[in-house]
């Protein structure tokens, strides 16, 4: 397999813009935002914030559209958190003020998120406008812990209402996450975790029926791996309520927040060992 072809496909994916209501920025242009920021110094601050936040109703239909704006716009983000924010860890509870949140916030530089699922039909949950709650799991792989952010619809608007810190190994995806942590950190382990040959499926963004299939050797995979934005420090998983029953198969879908890049990595557990069996993008 030619590495140049892979690089071209990845670049094409990165340049693809989001369409059909997926991750659309509903806010004003940079020039308009600057004008707004000047106006904030005049008059009643609370009144001005009420006037500023008038996004289309669509921002609260699909959670992923809301999340795109929540992660990328600090002003909007502060308007969509129930302060003081309830934080749970073990038996303890604390509350985070707006100032403490802004000092600690880690959403601003997020470029990719993931969805871990078992059944393809569970992906339809991200297009369900009737869902009332979604958990965003910020998984710190090395520390083997995760922060779970609970978002709920409050009066029709998505709001962050709660945060909970827990051990990732004790969550329903715990076994897979322990494997994934070692998979992305250890190249020797990674090579052994490939179900060679690994199936590669390339789909066209414009023509759904235009599908190319190839197989990858271990060396092909590492050539491809060098060109991919792979989640290795922290894994941000969106939990829409997808099924988590089987401990023998997982698909990790990576989605770009500001572009149309989407990749799926399918893993099966063979005996006691997880294996990467297929890549699709």
């Amino acid at each position: 397999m030619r590495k140049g072809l892979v690089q071209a496909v990845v670049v094409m994916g990165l340049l693809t813009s989001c369409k059909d209501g997926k991750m659309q920025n509903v806010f004003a242009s940079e020039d308009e935002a600057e004008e707004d920021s000047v106006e904030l110094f005049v008059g009643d601050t609370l009144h001005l914030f009420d006037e500023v936040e008038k996004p289309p109703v669509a921002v609260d239909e699909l959670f992923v559209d809301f999340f795109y704006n929540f992660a990328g716009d600090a002003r909007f983000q502060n308007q969509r958190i129930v302060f003081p924010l309830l934080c749970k860890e073990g038996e303890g509870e604390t509350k985070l003020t707006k100032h403490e949140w802004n000092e600690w916030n880690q959403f601003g530089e997020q470029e990719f998120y993931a969805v871990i699922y078992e059944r393809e039909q569970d992906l339809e949950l991200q297009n369900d406008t009737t869902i009332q709650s979604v958990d965003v799991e910020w998984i710190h792989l090395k520390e083997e812990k995760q922060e779970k952010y609970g978002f709920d619809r409050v009066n029709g608007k998505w709001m962050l209402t709660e945060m909970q810190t827990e051990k990732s190994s004790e969550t329903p995806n715990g076994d897979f996450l322990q494997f994934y942590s070692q998979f992305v950190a250890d190249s020797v382990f990674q090579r052994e975790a490939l179900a060679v040959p690994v199936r590669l499926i390339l789909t066209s963004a414009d023509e759904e029926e235009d599908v190319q299939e190839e197989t990858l050797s271990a060396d092909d995979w590492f050539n491809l791996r060098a060109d991919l934005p792979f989640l290795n420090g922290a894994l941000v998983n969106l939990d829409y309520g997808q099924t988590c029953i089987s401990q023998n198969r997982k698909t990790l879908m990576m989605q770009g927040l500001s572009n149309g890049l989407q990749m799926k990595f399918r893993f099966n557990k063979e005996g006691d060992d997880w294996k990467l069996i297929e890549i699709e993008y």
Side-chain angles (χ1 to χ4, degrees), residues 126-257:
Q126 63 185 342
N127 298 319
D128 187 347
T129 58
T130 67
I131 286 180
Q132 297 299 306
S133 63
V134 175
D135 288 331
V136 176
E137 299 171 342
W138 198 290
I139 304 164
H140 300 272
L141 296 170
K142 293 180 180 179
E143 294 83 358
E144 296 187 359
K145 72 173 185 177
Q146 72 176 31
E147 292 146 356
K148 183 167 66 177
Y149 300 85
F151 290 86
D152 298 287
R153 289 188 192 268
V154 179
N155 297 325
K157 294 182 178 181
W158 284 109
M159 302 288 293
L160 174 59
T161 60
E162 174 179 300
M163 187 181 83
Q164 181 175 356
T165 302
E166 55 193 352
K167 293 182 179 179
S168 57
S169 59
E170 296 177 358
T171 64
N173 287 316
D175 182 64
F176 172 73
L177 291 174
Q178 286 184 306
F179 155 77
Y180 182 81
S181 177
Q182 189 172 0
F183 180 82
V184 295
D186 185 334
S187 60
V188 175
F189 178 83
Q190 190 176 122
R191 184 177 289 270
E192 294 174 351
L194 301 175
V196 179
V198 177
R199 189 181 180 204
L200 174 65
I201 303 174
L202 302 175
T203 58
S204 169
D206 298 322
E207 301 179 16
E208 294 183 0
E209 295 183 359
D210 185 11
V211 178
Q212 301 179 45
E213 293 189 17
E214 299 186 24
T215 57
L216 302 177
S217 67
D219 290 338
D220 290 334
W221 155 254
F222 279 99
N223 287 335
L224 173 63
R225 167 70 177 83
D227 295 323
L228 296 179
F230 216 53
L231 303 174
N232 53 16
L235 186 66
V236 181
N237 177 52
L238 270 58
D239 182 2
Y240 295 93
Q242 52 264 35
T243 301
C244 191
I245 299 175
S246 172
Q247 292 300 319
N248 297 316
R249 65 178 183 276
K250 299 289 179 184
T251 297
L252 187 151
M253 182 183 76
M254 283 177 53
Q255 178 77 59
L257 270 174

Side-chain angles (χ1 to χ4, degrees), residues 13-27 56 58-72 76 110-115 126-127 236 238 240 253-263:
L14 287 168
L15 295 177
T16 304
S17 61
C18 299
K19 300 179 180 178
D20 301 327
K22 294 183 179 179
M23 297 181 293
Q24 298 175 357
N25 191 339
V26 299
F27 288 95
V59 76
D60 285 304
E61 291 182 355
L62 295 179
F63 179 81
V64 69
D65 286 339
F66 159 77
F67 186 62
Y68 170 51
N69 289 281
F70 182 88
F76 177 70
Q110 185 61 26
E111 297 181 357
F112 292 88
Y113 70 89
V115 178
Q126 63 185 342
N127 298 319
V236 181
L238 270 58
Y240 295 93
M253 182 183 76
M254 283 177 53
Q255 178 77 59
L257 270 174
S258 59
N259 55 65
L261 181 62
Q262 178 178 291
M263 295 172 287

